[in-house]
Amino acid sequence: MKQAESTGDKLILAAIDLIAEQGYDGTTTKEIAAAAGVSEVTLFRHFGSKQALLVAAFERYHYAGEMTKLFSERLTWDVRTDLLLIGRTYHAIMNRNRKLIDIAHKGGSRLPGEVRKHASQHPVQLKKLLTNYFSAHLEQGNIAPIDPEITAMSFMWMNLGAFSSNLVESSNSNVTLDTFIERSVDLFARALVP
């Protein structure tokens, strides 16, 4: 079984590299298999199709699973501490998965529906986790009256904007990512204090 996982990982990583470079439609299963050092038959045996291979990539290497674990195991329930952890973890995962994120953004509506569905489930899950987090704080009276969903979306968009500006390297600022995360979390935490 270990060999099957290793082959699957090689195929997923080869698919991510090639599709990020050539686009979904511009990449063939034959090219992916060759880049992974296996036959095209092996690719089909493991995944069945290029679409299923890319879905597996989003399942394995995007952030919903890691963020769910973070929310269930690592939160301190101190807003500033938790938002710093969430922000830093988000950026670490997003930067690690830059090619996969690029595939989702560049591919857009050209990607098969099943791929788009799996790519979009990650921000939906993060929004749910953050909304529940802010709702729990609100119910306990730990934060000022806010709309938990809008607050979750604001936090996500702020971080996505920072990631995206770094992604296209259009930032004309000397502010480091960590400084941005710390200062934006400070603003968020101060705004939430009752």
Side-chain angles (χ1 to χ4, degrees):
M1 189 72 173
K2 184 83 169 155
Q3 182 62 32
E5 290 176 16
S6 176
T7 300
D9 286 343
K10 287 179 188 176
L11 285 163
I12 287 172
L13 293 172
I16 292 169
D17 285 345
L18 288 171
I19 294 171
E21 183 181 319
Q22 301 171 184
Y24 182 81
D25 292 331
T27 304
T28 67
T29 53
K30 191 173 199 163
E31 290 172 314
I32 294 168
V38 301
S39 71
E40 192 175 21
V41 170
T42 301
L43 182 151
F44 288 120
R45 198 175 301 133
H46 276 78
F47 295 101
S49 68
K50 180 171 65 170
Q51 175 180 315
L53 176 57
L54 193 52
V55 165
F58 277 103
E59 287 299 311
R60 184 159 316 153
Y61 292 111
H62 215 342
Y63 61 78
E66 286 182 69
M67 289 305 241
T68 299
K69 186 174 181 177
L70 179 146
F71 273 79
S72 67
E73 297 176 2
R74 297 184 54 203
L75 296 184
T76 65
W77 291 94
D78 173 77
V79 173
R80 184 182 185 282
T81 302
D82 290 344
L83 292 181
L84 277 173
L85 175 63
I86 294 163
R88 287 178 175 142
T89 303
Y90 172 87
H91 284 282
I93 294 168
M94 294 290 278
N95 281 307
R96 183 182 68 217
N97 297 328
R98 197 170 276 285
K99 287 181 181 178
L100 195 57
I101 306 304
D102 197 30
I103 290 168
H105 286 272
K106 284 184 179 176
S109 63
R110 292 185 311 271
L111 291 174
E114 192 66 20
V115 173
R116 287 194 316 271
K117 175 183 159 196
H118 283 272
S120 68
Q121 78 182 5
H122 299 277
V124 169
Q125 178 65 15
L126 181 56
K127 184 179 91 167
K128 180 180 175 185
L129 292 166
L130 281 165
T131 299
N132 291 343
Y133 176 79
F134 290 128
S135 293
H137 271 296
L138 187 60
E139 288 171 14
Q140 295 169 10
N142 297 337
I143 59 174
I146 48 104
D147 180 311
E149 183 178 13
I150 290 174
T151 305
M153 290 167 60
S154 297
F155 187 78
M156 289 175 62
W157 288 338
M158 172 183 70
N159 282 289
L160 178 60
F163 171 77
S164 296
S165 68
N166 189 2
L167 181 66
V168 295
E169 299 177 5
S170 65
S171 177
N172 294 323
S173 175
N174 293 327
V175 176
T176 66
L177 179 60
D178 199 55
T179 300
F180 169 81
I181 294 169
E182 282 188 34
R183 300 285 166 76
S184 61
V185 164
D186 284 343
L187 285 172
F188 242 82
R190 280 198 304 263
L192 292 172
V193 172

PDB file of all heavy atoms in Angstrom, residues 58-86:
ATOM      1  N   PHE A  58      -6.751  18.815  -4.821  1.00  0.00           N
ATOM      2  CA  PHE A  58      -7.415  19.802  -3.963  1.00  0.00           C
ATOM      3  C   PHE A  58      -7.799  19.203  -2.618  1.00  0.00           C
ATOM      4  O   PHE A  58      -7.751  19.876  -1.594  1.00  0.00           O
ATOM      5  CB  PHE A  58      -8.636  20.412  -4.661  1.00  0.00           C
ATOM      6  CG  PHE A  58      -8.276  21.531  -5.592  1.00  0.00           C
ATOM      7  CD1 PHE A  58      -8.250  21.334  -6.959  1.00  0.00           C
ATOM      8  CD2 PHE A  58      -7.938  22.776  -5.094  1.00  0.00           C
ATOM      9  CE1 PHE A  58      -7.898  22.351  -7.818  1.00  0.00           C
ATOM     10  CE2 PHE A  58      -7.590  23.814  -5.947  1.00  0.00           C
ATOM     11  CZ  PHE A  58      -7.564  23.601  -7.317  1.00  0.00           C
ATOM     12  N   GLU A  59      -8.175  17.949  -2.614  1.00  0.00           N
ATOM     13  CA  GLU A  59      -8.522  17.282  -1.360  1.00  0.00           C
ATOM     14  C   GLU A  59      -7.298  17.142  -0.459  1.00  0.00           C
ATOM     15  O   GLU A  59      -7.378  17.342   0.736  1.00  0.00           O
ATOM     16  CB  GLU A  59      -9.124  15.904  -1.641  1.00  0.00           C
ATOM     17  CG  GLU A  59     -10.518  15.954  -2.195  1.00  0.00           C
ATOM     18  CD  GLU A  59     -11.508  16.615  -1.253  1.00  0.00           C
ATOM     19  OE1 GLU A  59     -11.539  16.255  -0.059  1.00  0.00           O
ATOM     20  OE2 GLU A  59     -12.241  17.510  -1.715  1.00  0.00           O
ATOM     21  N   ARG A  60      -6.191  16.788  -1.040  1.00  0.00           N
ATOM     22  CA  ARG A  60      -5.007  16.489  -0.245  1.00  0.00           C
ATOM     23  C   ARG A  60      -4.219  17.726   0.154  1.00  0.00           C
ATOM     24  O   ARG A  60      -3.694  17.796   1.260  1.00  0.00           O
ATOM     25  CB  ARG A  60      -4.101  15.541  -1.011  1.00  0.00           C
ATOM     26  CG  ARG A  60      -2.912  15.133  -0.163  1.00  0.00           C
ATOM     27  CD  ARG A  60      -2.203  13.883  -0.549  1.00  0.00           C
ATOM     28  NE  ARG A  60      -3.075  12.798  -0.878  1.00  0.00           N
ATOM     29  CZ  ARG A  60      -2.750  11.817  -1.703  1.00  0.00           C
ATOM     30  NH1 ARG A  60      -1.567  11.806  -2.256  1.00  0.00           N
ATOM     31  NH2 ARG A  60      -3.584  10.844  -1.970  1.00  0.00           N
ATOM     32  N   TYR A  61      -4.103  18.697  -0.745  1.00  0.00           N
ATOM     33  CA  TYR A  61      -3.143  19.775  -0.502  1.00  0.00           C
ATOM     34  C   TYR A  61      -3.733  21.156  -0.243  1.00  0.00           C
ATOM     35  O   TYR A  61      -2.990  22.111  -0.117  1.00  0.00           O
ATOM     36  CB  TYR A  61      -2.154  19.865  -1.669  1.00  0.00           C
ATOM     37  CG  TYR A  61      -1.250  18.677  -1.729  1.00  0.00           C
ATOM     38  CD1 TYR A  61      -1.351  17.762  -2.762  1.00  0.00           C
ATOM     39  CD2 TYR A  61      -0.312  18.453  -0.735  1.00  0.00           C
ATOM     40  CE1 TYR A  61      -0.519  16.656  -2.825  1.00  0.00           C
ATOM     41  CE2 TYR A  61       0.520  17.344  -0.782  1.00  0.00           C
ATOM     42  CZ  TYR A  61       0.414  16.456  -1.825  1.00  0.00           C
ATOM     43  OH  TYR A  61       1.233  15.365  -1.876  1.00  0.00           O
ATOM     44  N   HIS A  62      -5.028  21.285  -0.151  1.00  0.00           N
ATOM     45  CA  HIS A  62      -5.582  22.597   0.169  1.00  0.00           C
ATOM     46  C   HIS A  62      -5.749  22.699   1.680  1.00  0.00           C
ATOM     47  O   HIS A  62      -5.225  21.870   2.411  1.00  0.00           O
ATOM     48  CB  HIS A  62      -6.887  22.817  -0.598  1.00  0.00           C
ATOM     49  CG  HIS A  62      -7.113  24.227  -1.046  1.00  0.00           C
ATOM     50  ND1 HIS A  62      -6.446  25.302  -0.516  1.00  0.00           N
ATOM     51  CD2 HIS A  62      -7.944  24.752  -1.959  1.00  0.00           C
ATOM     52  CE1 HIS A  62      -6.864  26.414  -1.085  1.00  0.00           C
ATOM     53  NE2 HIS A  62      -7.769  26.113  -1.973  1.00  0.00           N
ATOM     54  N   TYR A  63      -6.478  23.666   2.195  1.00  0.00           N
ATOM     55  CA  TYR A  63      -6.382  23.954   3.619  1.00  0.00           C
ATOM     56  C   TYR A  63      -7.554  23.559   4.518  1.00  0.00           C
ATOM     57  O   TYR A  63      -7.441  23.668   5.732  1.00  0.00           O
ATOM     58  CB  TYR A  63      -6.070  25.432   3.841  1.00  0.00           C
ATOM     59  CG  TYR A  63      -7.099  26.409   3.322  1.00  0.00           C
ATOM     60  CD1 TYR A  63      -8.282  26.654   3.996  1.00  0.00           C
ATOM     61  CD2 TYR A  63      -6.847  27.130   2.163  1.00  0.00           C
ATOM     62  CE1 TYR A  63      -9.196  27.568   3.522  1.00  0.00           C
ATOM     63  CE2 TYR A  63      -7.756  28.053   1.689  1.00  0.00           C
ATOM     64  CZ  TYR A  63      -8.928  28.269   2.373  1.00  0.00           C
ATOM     65  OH  TYR A  63      -9.826  29.184   1.904  1.00  0.00           O
ATOM     66  N   ALA A  64      -8.654  23.088   4.018  1.00  0.00           N
ATOM     67  CA  ALA A  64      -9.819  22.820   4.876  1.00  0.00           C
ATOM     68  C   ALA A  64      -9.498  21.837   5.996  1.00  0.00           C
ATOM     69  O   ALA A  64      -9.853  22.069   7.153  1.00  0.00           O
ATOM     70  CB  ALA A  64     -11.002  22.329   4.051  1.00  0.00           C
ATOM     71  N   GLY A  65      -8.834  20.766   5.677  1.00  0.00           N
ATOM     72  CA  GLY A  65      -8.527  19.764   6.702  1.00  0.00           C
ATOM     73  C   GLY A  65      -7.604  20.297   7.777  1.00  0.00           C
ATOM     74  O   GLY A  65      -7.861  20.115   8.978  1.00  0.00           O
ATOM     75  N   GLU A  66      -6.538  20.967   7.362  1.00  0.00           N
ATOM     76  CA  GLU A  66      -5.589  21.513   8.341  1.00  0.00           C
ATOM     77  C   GLU A  66      -6.236  22.584   9.209  1.00  0.00           C
ATOM     78  O   GLU A  66      -5.982  22.655  10.413  1.00  0.00           O
ATOM     79  CB  GLU A  66      -4.374  22.097   7.637  1.00  0.00           C
ATOM     80  CG  GLU A  66      -3.435  21.049   7.082  1.00  0.00           C
ATOM     81  CD  GLU A  66      -2.219  21.666   6.438  1.00  0.00           C
ATOM     82  OE1 GLU A  66      -1.382  22.242   7.164  1.00  0.00           O
ATOM     83  OE2 GLU A  66      -2.106  21.580   5.191  1.00  0.00           O
ATOM     84  N   MET A  67      -7.061  23.431   8.603  1.00  0.00           N
ATOM     85  CA  MET A  67      -7.706  24.481   9.382  1.00  0.00           C
ATOM     86  C   MET A  67      -8.746  23.892  10.343  1.00  0.00           C
ATOM     87  O   MET A  67      -8.869  24.364  11.474  1.00  0.00           O
ATOM     88  CB  MET A  67      -8.342  25.523   8.458  1.00  0.00           C
ATOM     89  CG  MET A  67      -7.320  26.374   7.754  1.00  0.00           C
ATOM     90  SD  MET A  67      -6.174  27.182   8.895  1.00  0.00           S
ATOM     91  CE  MET A  67      -6.485  28.870   8.544  1.00  0.00           C
ATOM     92  N   THR A  68      -9.467  22.879   9.920  1.00  0.00           N
ATOM     93  CA  THR A  68     -10.427  22.238  10.812  1.00  0.00           C
ATOM     94  C   THR A  68      -9.703  21.669  12.027  1.00  0.00           C
ATOM     95  O   THR A  68     -10.157  21.834  13.174  1.00  0.00           O
ATOM     96  CB  THR A  68     -11.202  21.124  10.064  1.00  0.00           C
ATOM     97  OG1 THR A  68     -11.905  21.725   8.971  1.00  0.00           O
ATOM     98  CG2 THR A  68     -12.189  20.419  10.970  1.00  0.00           C
ATOM     99  N   LYS A  69      -8.567  21.037  11.808  1.00  0.00           N
ATOM    100  CA  LYS A  69      -7.775  20.485  12.912  1.00  0.00           C
ATOM    101  C   LYS A  69      -7.271  21.602  13.820  1.00  0.00           C
ATOM    102  O   LYS A  69      -7.321  21.487  15.049  1.00  0.00           O
ATOM    103  CB  LYS A  69      -6.607  19.677  12.352  1.00  0.00           C
ATOM    104  CG  LYS A  69      -5.816  18.953  13.399  1.00  0.00           C
ATOM    105  CD  LYS A  69      -4.765  18.053  12.782  1.00  0.00           C
ATOM    106  CE  LYS A  69      -4.020  17.335  13.899  1.00  0.00           C
ATOM    107  NZ  LYS A  69      -3.045  16.401  13.405  1.00  0.00           N
ATOM    108  N   LEU A  70      -6.803  22.696  13.232  1.00  0.00           N
ATOM    109  CA  LEU A  70      -6.332  23.835  14.021  1.00  0.00           C
ATOM    110  C   LEU A  70      -7.450  24.356  14.928  1.00  0.00           C
ATOM    111  O   LEU A  70      -7.237  24.578  16.120  1.00  0.00           O
ATOM    112  CB  LEU A  70      -5.840  24.948  13.089  1.00  0.00           C
ATOM    113  CG  LEU A  70      -5.324  26.221  13.738  1.00  0.00           C
ATOM    114  CD1 LEU A  70      -4.193  26.795  12.907  1.00  0.00           C
ATOM    115  CD2 LEU A  70      -6.410  27.259  13.880  1.00  0.00           C
ATOM    116  N   PHE A  71      -8.645  24.530  14.365  1.00  0.00           N
ATOM    117  CA  PHE A  71      -9.757  25.060  15.147  1.00  0.00           C
ATOM    118  C   PHE A  71     -10.173  24.095  16.256  1.00  0.00           C
ATOM    119  O   PHE A  71     -10.596  24.522  17.327  1.00  0.00           O
ATOM    120  CB  PHE A  71     -10.958  25.379  14.243  1.00  0.00           C
ATOM    121  CG  PHE A  71     -10.914  26.756  13.644  1.00  0.00           C
ATOM    122  CD1 PHE A  71     -10.108  27.023  12.541  1.00  0.00           C
ATOM    123  CD2 PHE A  71     -11.665  27.789  14.170  1.00  0.00           C
ATOM    124  CE1 PHE A  71     -10.060  28.288  11.978  1.00  0.00           C
ATOM    125  CE2 PHE A  71     -11.626  29.062  13.620  1.00  0.00           C
ATOM    126  CZ  PHE A  71     -10.821  29.312  12.517  1.00  0.00           C
ATOM    127  N   SER A  72     -10.067  22.810  16.024  1.00  0.00           N
ATOM    128  CA  SER A  72     -10.507  21.853  17.044  1.00  0.00           C
ATOM    129  C   SER A  72      -9.440  21.550  18.091  1.00  0.00           C
ATOM    130  O   SER A  72      -9.773  21.131  19.195  1.00  0.00           O
ATOM    131  CB  SER A  72     -10.987  20.552  16.396  1.00  0.00           C
ATOM    132  OG  SER A  72      -9.919  19.874  15.791  1.00  0.00           O
ATOM    133  N   GLU A  73      -8.161  21.795  17.773  1.00  0.00           N
ATOM    134  CA  GLU A  73      -7.105  21.365  18.690  1.00  0.00           C
ATOM    135  C   GLU A  73      -6.193  22.470  19.223  1.00  0.00           C
ATOM    136  O   GLU A  73      -5.564  22.276  20.261  1.00  0.00           O
ATOM    137  CB  GLU A  73      -6.211  20.324  17.996  1.00  0.00           C
ATOM    138  CG  GLU A  73      -6.937  19.055  17.622  1.00  0.00           C
ATOM    139  CD  GLU A  73      -6.047  18.080  16.863  1.00  0.00           C
ATOM    140  OE1 GLU A  73      -4.838  18.363  16.651  1.00  0.00           O
ATOM    141  OE2 GLU A  73      -6.576  17.020  16.467  1.00  0.00           O
ATOM    142  N   ARG A  74      -6.092  23.597  18.546  1.00  0.00           N
ATOM    143  CA  ARG A  74      -5.022  24.527  18.908  1.00  0.00           C
ATOM    144  C   ARG A  74      -5.475  25.911  19.366  1.00  0.00           C
ATOM    145  O   ARG A  74      -4.635  26.732  19.743  1.00  0.00           O
ATOM    146  CB  ARG A  74      -4.059  24.672  17.723  1.00  0.00           C
ATOM    147  CG  ARG A  74      -3.379  23.339  17.394  1.00  0.00           C
ATOM    148  CD  ARG A  74      -2.356  23.432  16.315  1.00  0.00           C
ATOM    149  NE  ARG A  74      -1.343  24.443  16.584  1.00  0.00           N
ATOM    150  CZ  ARG A  74      -0.624  25.018  15.626  1.00  0.00           C
ATOM    151  NH1 ARG A  74      -0.802  24.697  14.367  1.00  0.00           N
ATOM    152  NH2 ARG A  74       0.275  25.923  15.926  1.00  0.00           N
ATOM    153  N   LEU A  75      -6.758  26.191  19.338  1.00  0.00           N
ATOM    154  CA  LEU A  75      -7.206  27.531  19.730  1.00  0.00           C
ATOM    155  C   LEU A  75      -7.109  27.712  21.236  1.00  0.00           C
ATOM    156  O   LEU A  75      -7.341  26.789  22.012  1.00  0.00           O
ATOM    157  CB  LEU A  75      -8.632  27.786  19.252  1.00  0.00           C
ATOM    158  CG  LEU A  75      -8.827  27.807  17.734  1.00  0.00           C
ATOM    159  CD1 LEU A  75     -10.265  28.172  17.406  1.00  0.00           C
ATOM    160  CD2 LEU A  75      -7.864  28.764  17.044  1.00  0.00           C
ATOM    161  N   THR A  76      -6.785  28.948  21.646  1.00  0.00           N
ATOM    162  CA  THR A  76      -6.669  29.285  23.068  1.00  0.00           C
ATOM    163  C   THR A  76      -7.908  30.032  23.564  1.00  0.00           C
ATOM    164  O   THR A  76      -8.069  30.216  24.744  1.00  0.00           O
ATOM    165  CB  THR A  76      -5.449  30.206  23.301  1.00  0.00           C
ATOM    166  OG1 THR A  76      -5.682  31.458  22.630  1.00  0.00           O
ATOM    167  CG2 THR A  76      -4.169  29.561  22.800  1.00  0.00           C
ATOM    168  N   TRP A  77      -8.717  30.508  22.659  1.00  0.00           N
ATOM    169  CA  TRP A  77      -9.898  31.339  22.905  1.00  0.00           C
ATOM    170  C   TRP A  77      -9.530  32.750  23.353  1.00  0.00           C
ATOM    171  O   TRP A  77     -10.358  33.495  23.836  1.00  0.00           O
ATOM    172  CB  TRP A  77     -10.914  30.650  23.830  1.00  0.00           C
ATOM    173  CG  TRP A  77     -11.502  29.502  23.066  1.00  0.00           C
ATOM    174  CD1 TRP A  77     -11.076  28.204  23.086  1.00  0.00           C
ATOM    175  CD2 TRP A  77     -12.545  29.566  22.084  1.00  0.00           C
ATOM    176  NE1 TRP A  77     -11.797  27.456  22.184  1.00  0.00           N
ATOM    177  CE2 TRP A  77     -12.706  28.262  21.556  1.00  0.00           C
ATOM    178  CE3 TRP A  77     -13.346  30.590  21.593  1.00  0.00           C
ATOM    179  CZ2 TRP A  77     -13.637  27.969  20.574  1.00  0.00           C
ATOM    180  CZ3 TRP A  77     -14.276  30.295  20.625  1.00  0.00           C
ATOM    181  CH2 TRP A  77     -14.414  28.993  20.128  1.00  0.00           C
ATOM    182  N   ASP A  78      -8.268  33.130  23.148  1.00  0.00           N
ATOM    183  CA  ASP A  78      -7.870  34.529  23.228  1.00  0.00           C
ATOM    184  C   ASP A  78      -7.885  35.032  21.789  1.00  0.00           C
ATOM    185  O   ASP A  78      -7.171  34.493  20.928  1.00  0.00           O
ATOM    186  CB  ASP A  78      -6.461  34.661  23.825  1.00  0.00           C
ATOM    187  CG  ASP A  78      -5.948  36.094  23.751  1.00  0.00           C
ATOM    188  OD1 ASP A  78      -6.399  36.924  24.576  1.00  0.00           O
ATOM    189  OD2 ASP A  78      -5.133  36.380  22.840  1.00  0.00           O
ATOM    190  N   VAL A  79      -8.717  36.034  21.506  1.00  0.00           N
ATOM    191  CA  VAL A  79      -8.960  36.454  20.129  1.00  0.00           C
ATOM    192  C   VAL A  79      -7.668  36.811  19.397  1.00  0.00           C
ATOM    193  O   VAL A  79      -7.426  36.325  18.286  1.00  0.00           O
ATOM    194  CB  VAL A  79      -9.973  37.629  20.071  1.00  0.00           C
ATOM    195  CG1 VAL A  79     -10.090  38.171  18.653  1.00  0.00           C
ATOM    196  CG2 VAL A  79     -11.328  37.190  20.588  1.00  0.00           C
ATOM    197  N   ARG A  80      -6.837  37.631  19.980  1.00  0.00           N
ATOM    198  CA  ARG A  80      -5.605  38.057  19.292  1.00  0.00           C
ATOM    199  C   ARG A  80      -4.710  36.852  19.012  1.00  0.00           C
ATOM    200  O   ARG A  80      -4.220  36.674  17.894  1.00  0.00           O
ATOM    201  CB  ARG A  80      -4.856  39.107  20.102  1.00  0.00           C
ATOM    202  CG  ARG A  80      -3.626  39.622  19.361  1.00  0.00           C
ATOM    203  CD  ARG A  80      -2.816  40.644  20.182  1.00  0.00           C
ATOM    204  NE  ARG A  80      -1.738  41.179  19.384  1.00  0.00           N
ATOM    205  CZ  ARG A  80      -0.594  40.535  19.138  1.00  0.00           C
ATOM    206  NH1 ARG A  80      -0.393  39.328  19.611  1.00  0.00           N
ATOM    207  NH2 ARG A  80       0.348  41.111  18.409  1.00  0.00           N
ATOM    208  N   THR A  81      -4.477  36.037  20.031  1.00  0.00           N
ATOM    209  CA  THR A  81      -3.618  34.855  19.876  1.00  0.00           C
ATOM    210  C   THR A  81      -4.158  33.929  18.797  1.00  0.00           C
ATOM    211  O   THR A  81      -3.408  33.443  17.938  1.00  0.00           O
ATOM    212  CB  THR A  81      -3.497  34.107  21.214  1.00  0.00           C
ATOM    213  OG1 THR A  81      -2.972  35.009  22.195  1.00  0.00           O
ATOM    214  CG2 THR A  81      -2.603  32.888  21.106  1.00  0.00           C
ATOM    215  N   ASP A  82      -5.460  33.687  18.832  1.00  0.00           N
ATOM    216  CA  ASP A  82      -6.071  32.775  17.864  1.00  0.00           C
ATOM    217  C   ASP A  82      -6.032  33.332  16.446  1.00  0.00           C
ATOM    218  O   ASP A  82      -5.707  32.606  15.506  1.00  0.00           O
ATOM    219  CB  ASP A  82      -7.523  32.468  18.253  1.00  0.00           C
ATOM    220  CG  ASP A  82      -7.619  31.608  19.499  1.00  0.00           C
ATOM    221  OD1 ASP A  82      -6.612  30.990  19.903  1.00  0.00           O
ATOM    222  OD2 ASP A  82      -8.716  31.559  20.085  1.00  0.00           O
ATOM    223  N   LEU A  83      -6.338  34.615  16.280  1.00  0.00           N
ATOM    224  CA  LEU A  83      -6.324  35.189  14.933  1.00  0.00           C
ATOM    225  C   LEU A  83      -4.911  35.236  14.357  1.00  0.00           C
ATOM    226  O   LEU A  83      -4.731  35.060  13.154  1.00  0.00           O
ATOM    227  CB  LEU A  83      -6.977  36.569  14.927  1.00  0.00           C
ATOM    228  CG  LEU A  83      -8.492  36.586  15.204  1.00  0.00           C
ATOM    229  CD1 LEU A  83      -9.027  38.010  15.149  1.00  0.00           C
ATOM    230  CD2 LEU A  83      -9.250  35.688  14.244  1.00  0.00           C
ATOM    231  N   LEU A  84      -3.907  35.457  15.215  1.00  0.00           N
ATOM    232  CA  LEU A  84      -2.523  35.376  14.737  1.00  0.00           C
ATOM    233  C   LEU A  84      -2.211  33.963  14.248  1.00  0.00           C
ATOM    234  O   LEU A  84      -1.626  33.784  13.169  1.00  0.00           O
ATOM    235  CB  LEU A  84      -1.545  35.750  15.861  1.00  0.00           C
ATOM    236  CG  LEU A  84      -1.303  37.228  16.081  1.00  0.00           C
ATOM    237  CD1 LEU A  84      -0.461  37.442  17.338  1.00  0.00           C
ATOM    238  CD2 LEU A  84      -0.613  37.857  14.880  1.00  0.00           C
ATOM    239  N   LEU A  85      -2.605  32.965  15.027  1.00  0.00           N
ATOM    240  CA  LEU A  85      -2.367  31.573  14.646  1.00  0.00           C
ATOM    241  C   LEU A  85      -3.100  31.235  13.347  1.00  0.00           C
ATOM    242  O   LEU A  85      -2.523  30.640  12.436  1.00  0.00           O
ATOM    243  CB  LEU A  85      -2.824  30.630  15.766  1.00  0.00           C
ATOM    244  CG  LEU A  85      -2.736  29.137  15.468  1.00  0.00           C
ATOM    245  CD1 LEU A  85      -1.291  28.702  15.234  1.00  0.00           C
ATOM    246  CD2 LEU A  85      -3.370  28.342  16.604  1.00  0.00           C
ATOM    247  N   ILE A  86      -4.348  31.641  13.252  1.00  0.00           N
ATOM    248  CA  ILE A  86      -5.148  31.368  12.052  1.00  0.00           C
ATOM    249  C   ILE A  86      -4.531  32.069  10.836  1.00  0.00           C
ATOM    250  O   ILE A  86      -4.359  31.465   9.773  1.00  0.00           O
ATOM    251  CB  ILE A  86      -6.610  31.792  12.258  1.00  0.00           C
ATOM    252  CG1 ILE A  86      -7.273  30.911  13.332  1.00  0.00           C
ATOM    253  CG2 ILE A  86      -7.391  31.734  10.951  1.00  0.00           C
ATOM    254  CD1 ILE A  86      -8.561  31.487  13.910  1.00  0.00           C
TER     255      ILE A  86
END
